[in-house]
Amino acid sequence: GLPDGGRGLRVLDLGCGTGASTAALLAAAPYARVTAVDASAGMLERAAAKSWPEGVGFVHAPVEELAGRLNPRSYDAVFAGYLFRNLTDPDKALDLVRGLLAPGGRLAVHEYTLGGSPVHRAVWNAVCAAIIQPAGRLAGDAGLYRHLRRSVVEFDTAPAFAGRLRRAGFTDVRVLPLPGWQTGITHTFTGRTGEEA
């Protein structure tokens, strides 16, 4: 939803990992200036080694430490993919993100958040038990995929995370479910900051 291919806009990519989300942001807004952030030095090194257009930069830092490293109200949009359920204090991070956004700035969060129905929880647990965790064992990452299963079950439902965004001061909060088998399991949340100066 960024106008004119994001020309002149500043976008923050939180939890960019190896740069897949950064590339997706550039596909949607090819003229935006993107700052990609990740706490993992290894992931960030892999991301930064790729070929990027001018205007893409990388910052190695946990989200919790960005307050002193990035200027307040300096971003027009923030994207975070699969980040918030892994944070110790999601509310504090949302307050920080809101402070980094310019008035009228946009937030988009893509996250594993169960829809709240017992069916959604059952589907998630069945997919984890039959596919995700066995694949993780074969890949040698069993602990990571156990964490994934547990972190999704223990994190907010989609309505609860939408409420968390509203409590953090975001307006026009929308919850968009993914299609297919992930319906009720993965959602995209959007919101805006107020227009006040």
Side-chain angles (χ1 to χ4, degrees):
L2 297 177
D4 195 22
R7 193 178 306 279
L9 298 180
R10 301 147 304 167
V11 179
L12 183 61
D13 181 11
L14 291 179
C16 69
T18 60
S21 56
T22 311
L25 286 171
L26 287 172
Y31 305 115
R33 288 176 286 153
V34 179
T35 302
V37 176
D38 204 276
S40 166
M43 291 253 201
L44 204 63
E45 185 177 319
R46 287 174 60 194
K50 297 175 181 175
S51 178
W52 299 103
E54 189 176 331
V56 175
F58 295 91
V59 175
H60 176 223
V63 171
E64 298 86 351
E65 295 177 11
L66 290 177
R69 299 192 58 182
L70 301 176
N71 293 326
R73 298 179 174 233
S74 59
Y75 291 92
D76 301 293
V78 173
F79 174 78
Y82 305 111
L83 174 75
F84 280 94
R85 77 186 147 75
N86 293 307
L87 298 177
T88 305
D89 192 343
D91 292 319
K92 183 177 180 182
L94 283 170
D95 286 342
L96 183 142
V97 167
R98 192 166 155 267
L100 292 172
L101 280 164
R106 300 174 188 203
L107 170 68
V109 175
H110 189 68
E111 187 60 86
Y112 285 107
T113 47
L114 299 177
S117 161
V119 171
H120 300 148
R121 181 180 289 259
V123 169
W124 173 247
N125 282 320
V127 168
C128 283
I131 300 169
I132 294 174
Q133 288 183 279
R137 282 192 294 275
L138 287 173
D141 289 328
L144 175 66
Y145 289 96
R146 278 194 307 273
H147 165 75
L148 173 63
R149 181 180 189 174
R150 185 178 59 252
S151 69
V152 173
V153 170
E154 293 174 356
F155 190 58
D156 294 347
T157 61
F161 190 69
R164 191 187 289 270
L165 291 175
R166 290 183 187 101
R167 286 191 305 277
F170 290 95
T171 62
D172 303 324
V173 173
R174 295 177 60 207
V175 181
L176 310 163
L178 257 66
W181 77 267
Q182 291 186 347
T183 296
I185 294 170
T186 307
H187 295 82
T188 298
F189 302 82
T190 61
R192 297 178 81 97
T193 58
E195 297 288 344
E196 72 279 357

